[in-house]
Amino acid sequence: MSGPAPIIIRTGVPRVRAAFTTRAGGTSTAPRASLNLGAATGDHPGHVRANRTRLAGALGFDPVRAVALRQVHGSAVYMADGHGGRDSFTGAADGVADADAAATGHPGIALAVMGADCPMVLAWSADGSRVAAAHAGWRGLVAGVLEAAIAAIADDDDVGGVRAAVGPHIGPCCYPVGDDVRAVLADRFGPGVLRGAAVDLGACCEVALTGAGVPRDRIAHIGGCTACEEGLFFSYRRDGGETGRQAGIIWIEEDA
Ligand SMILES: [Zn+2]
């Protein structure tokens, strides 16, 4: 059986490792086949734990110290100390805190955020001493989760060196929303994020990140539409809510 096939991000900093997962290489069965990493999805907890352990092995991070969150579409940032996620990733696996972002300056602590259409954004400081991960659905974006995540790893003096990667998310091709949501997002991020009846969440992320001080040329968009690419990604909207979760993961490697 083939293992997980995550999309590895070139961070440009030797010790910072980052990846976005695909649905390949896990143990969960349809409609969550197969690398479902989300705990609150109706999947068997044993499958989620096995998938998370398998991913940690494939990428080479410590699953016991990895951070998993209870995502609530807010703007709170969990600041992970050297103990990391306190076995929230593969232990009880119910999340260490109610938060949609995590940040750390401690090597060896992997930060994981999950999504099934929402953008996941990974960010790291120029010298690789601090990293952050955020789940950035439209509510979290409006609440300011990306601005909060960037503020957690950089101040005004060094935010210009921060790099960020916006992971696969539902594209404007598949994301028509109601007039009320369009109005809120256009008001917050400008009319340029609208695509007819749809919204470009990647564009919202870019406005938020640049507004927080990250230079546009330091923001990478991984691309891909979670709804269009059924073989690669879970999509809440495509699958009517019965689906799994992919993850964005970032960490600072410990000295060998
Ligand atoms: Zn699409």
Side-chain angles (χ1 to χ4, degrees):
M1 184 170 54
S2 55
I7 300 163
I8 307 295
I9 306 307
R10 294 166 179 261
T11 64
V13 180
R15 291 173 68 202
V16 175
R17 303 272 314 271
F20 295 100
T21 67
T22 66
R23 63 188 300 176
T27 62
S28 300
T29 54
R32 297 172 193 86
S34 61
L35 194 76
N36 169 41
L37 299 166
T41 55
D43 200 354
H44 189 288
H47 286 162
V48 176
R49 198 171 291 127
N51 290 340
R52 289 178 173 188
T53 302
R54 188 179 284 203
L55 178 69
L59 286 174
F61 64 84
D62 176 4
V64 175
R65 288 197 292 162
V67 172
L69 305 168
R70 291 185 298 271
Q71 298 175 178
V72 293
H73 297 283
S75 63
V77 182
Y78 175 74
M79 300 298 295
D81 63 17
H83 297 289
R86 295 176 163 74
D87 216 8
S88 59
F89 191 69
T90 50
D94 61 345
V96 68
D98 290 337
D100 287 85
T104 194
H106 291 273
I109 308 297
L111 311 175
V113 288
M114 320 281 177
D117 279 335
C118 295
M120 293 171 284
V121 178
L122 306 175
W124 54 101
S125 62
D127 63 357
S129 66
R130 283 153 292 160
V131 296
H135 160 251
W138 76 263
R139 289 183 182 83
L141 281 163
V142 170
V145 69
L146 290 186
E147 291 88 340
I150 297 304
I153 62 168
D155 55 30
D156 289 348
D157 292 337
D158 57 8
V159 70
V162 167
R163 295 172 196 249
V166 179
H169 56 85
I170 194 165
C173 42
C174 299
Y175 196 54
V177 296
D179 291 343
D180 49 345
V181 175
R182 271 208 313 283
V184 168
L185 291 170
D187 185 55
R188 177 75 159 77
F189 300 110
V193 303
L194 303 182
R195 300 283 184 275
V199 167
D200 185 342
L201 290 173
C204 295
C205 289
E206 184 152 320
V207 173
L209 289 166
T210 54
V214 181
R216 192 175 305 272
D217 64 2
R218 287 183 165 258
I219 302 168
H221 291 269
I222 305 311
C225 170
T226 49
C228 286
E229 298 179 55
E230 187 166 8
L232 276 177
F233 303 118
F234 299 110
S235 171
Y236 192 90
R237 188 171 275 218
R238 180 194 65 222
D239 297 338
E242 285 287 308
T243 194
R245 299 288 183 278
Q246 45 259 348
I249 312 239
I250 189 166
W251 74 101
I252 305 166
E253 275 188 323
E254 294 186 290
D255 291 326

